[in-house]
Amino acid sequence: MINLTYPFSEDVVRELKAGDVVSVNGRVWTGRDRLHKRFADGGAIPVDMRGGALYHCGPVVVPAIPVHPGAAPWRIAAGGPTTSMRENPYEAAFIEKTGVRLIIGKGGMDATVLAACERFGAVYLQAVGGAAAVTARAVKSVENVYFLKEFGAAEACWELEVEDFQCVVAMDAHGVSLFESVQRESLARFKSLIKAV
Amino acid sequence: MKKIAREIAELVHSTSSSLPSDAERAIRSALRREARGSSACMVLETILKNVALARAAGTPLCQDTGTLTFFVDASLRRKAPQSAFDEAVAYASSQGWLRRNTIDPITGASIDSNVCPGAPVVHYVGSDAKEGHGTIRLIMKGGGSENMSVQFSLPDASLGAARDMEGVRKCVLAAVQRAQGFGCAPGLLGVCVGGDRASGFEEAKMQLLRDIGDANPVPALAKLERRILKEANSLGIGPMGLGGKTTLLGVKIGTRPRLPASYFVTVAYMCWAARRGVLVV
């Protein structure tokens, strides 16, 4: 297990290899379809994500007493990853403009994102899909929330402080994608299984 | 709230937060097969940790609490009408047992109670039970897995699949191959051979109600289930598509009569969070 602590430096991120199991600690912002669309439409995103992590997630949130003065009055009740591929068209530009170092989600992303990871020094992490309770427990505080009214709770940009959020490096900054190799090998096996006998 | 609505709300709560024991057992035995320290191992361990946490806290196992489909014995039609399910689901939503998960397709507005015409889905099915008695079964299926469900029409030239059991096998394996990385593996498959396009999906989903460890009473289907499970797990897709020996936990196949002109093979993909529950009334 490799510990990653915010702010995530380019050097540390570039050292990661596909297949590494990592523990993410520090600042994570959630963002999914609506946030990416706003970004693509040229709308302002009033968040400085440089050196941080973007998490594809639509959490279940409940009102709560702020964990510390200045935190937001919310608690994450469930917060596993959502499917990342929907953000493929936007993510390379998002990485370039915002300077995020970690993209956390589910299912992997396409070659444009893999190239952006290599060029700008970022990695894609696979969180465990559906593991909402584990993820919720890793969230130590909700620091802020953006676009709550406009996007709704599942689509809003939640600024979270996480501790020991475990993920697998699925796409690294050397152009290696775990999904790609698994896909290639399984396809070959699949073809041999359905070949006429 | 009436007693029956309260009981249905409790069913929703327990189904949302507690993975059926057969699914948990299957994940545990999968963990023993994977190499220690592998990403497959990490994923399965996280899943088991998640299952325990959600059960203890009574919180949703997965944030996508899914489409709620109830299969209800027809003998309960009067005792448990649609309105009882509506009331139960609205209450469960207000308690945070369900996500605000129902969207108007035209306006995009959230229907926060998860209750509107068409939701929750309640099917009354034939039964021999006495009036006022019977069973209510619930499946909660998330969008990520539902997006991976698929229907084939045979013959399918791209797969070399003809209208026979061998063709069925190829379709099901193709569905597994296609779902990789997306459906939250290791998953479960409900399959229907035959039917029309609508009943095919219904039967495929109903197959997901079966116990993972059971054997199909039809020998030809039992054999096909075993073979597909073995072959799918040889694809190397693994938990969450990161590689490994466990891609599926089970395959369940049912049939519906078909028309001479149609031969559908319908695959309902269920994620590892195979939430189903039973209430005996």
Side-chain angles (χ1 to χ4, degrees), chain A residues 161-179:
Chain A
E161 189 69 19
V162 304
E163 199 179 286
D164 194 22
F165 180 14
Q166 295 186 10
C167 304
V168 177
V169 178
M171 295 160 63
D172 64 22
H174 313 282
V176 180
S177 162
L178 215 53
F179 292 106

Side-chain angles (χ1 to χ4, degrees), chain B:
Chain B
M1 196 173 5
K2 268 195 178 160
K3 181 165 170 274
I4 187 73
R6 218 168 43 234
E7 287 174 351
I8 297 167
E10 260 320 307
L11 172 67
V12 170
H13 186 195
S14 63
T15 307
S16 167
S17 56
S18 184
L19 190 72
S21 58
D22 58 330
E24 191 176 349
R25 261 198 314 279
I27 295 167
R28 233 173 256 293
S29 75
L31 178 60
R32 286 194 290 271
R33 286 194 296 270
E34 300 290 352
R36 286 184 65 181
S38 63
S39 57
C41 218
M42 174 268 179
V43 169
L44 294 174
E45 278 169 354
T46 304
I47 286 173
L48 289 170
K49 211 189 302 172
N50 188 74
V51 168
L53 275 176
R55 187 176 287 141
T59 54
L61 206 57
C62 171
Q63 73 283 349
D64 187 350
T65 50
T67 300
L68 277 71
T69 308
F70 293 92
F71 296 97
V72 185
D73 283 353
S75 52
L76 290 171
R77 194 186 288 272
R78 239 174 294 167
K79 190 167 190 178
Q82 175 82 40
S83 60
F85 292 90
D86 292 353
E87 197 185 355
V89 168
Y91 179 73
S93 304
S94 75
Q95 296 300 300
W97 302 338
L98 299 174
R99 182 167 75 174
R100 295 171 178 185
N101 217 25
T102 307
I103 308 293
D104 181 298
I106 297 171
T107 63
S110 165
I111 297 153
D112 289 350
S113 65
N114 292 309
V115 176
C116 63
V121 180
V122 180
H123 291 297
Y124 291 94
V125 294
S127 126
D128 304 331
K130 261 201 340 225
E131 174 63 30
H133 296 264
T135 303
I136 296 172
R137 290 168 205 278
L138 167 62
I139 291 185
M140 294 171 62
K141 191 164 181 298
S145 75
E146 187 68 4
N147 289 346
M148 290 299 114
S149 294
V150 60
Q151 192 165 57
F152 299 87
S153 176
L154 296 185
D156 184 313
S158 69
L159 295 171
R163 293 182 157 195
D164 51 27
M165 287 297 116
E166 182 58 12
V168 173
R169 182 183 70 87
K170 291 175 180 177
C171 291
V172 179
L173 287 174
V176 177
Q177 176 65 18
R178 176 177 169 272
Q180 72 177 283
F182 302 118
C184 288
L188 265 175
L189 299 185
V191 179
C192 175
V193 182
D196 62 23
R197 287 203 182 268
S199 67
F201 271 114
E202 187 188 48
E203 177 64 34
K205 211 169 210 182
M206 285 182 84
Q207 287 295 315
L208 297 171
L209 292 167
R210 286 171 50 193
D211 190 281
I212 293 177
D214 75 359
N216 199 310
V218 182
L221 296 179
K223 196 174 151 201
L224 189 60
E225 288 177 356
R226 283 196 304 271
R227 178 165 178 200
I228 292 173
L229 180 61
K230 198 169 153 209
E231 290 184 344
N233 283 334
S234 78
L235 290 170
I237 294 168
M240 296 309 298
L242 297 169
K245 293 181 180 125
T246 319
T247 302
L248 287 185
L249 299 173
V251 181
K252 304 293 165 189
I253 308 176
T255 64
R256 290 279 176 111
R258 63 177 180 86
L259 295 182
S262 304
Y263 196 122
F264 297 117
V265 177
T266 311
V267 181
Y269 187 100
M270 184 66 149
C271 53
W272 65 260
R275 289 152 289 174
R276 59 169 139 73
V278 184
L279 170 64
V280 178
V281 181

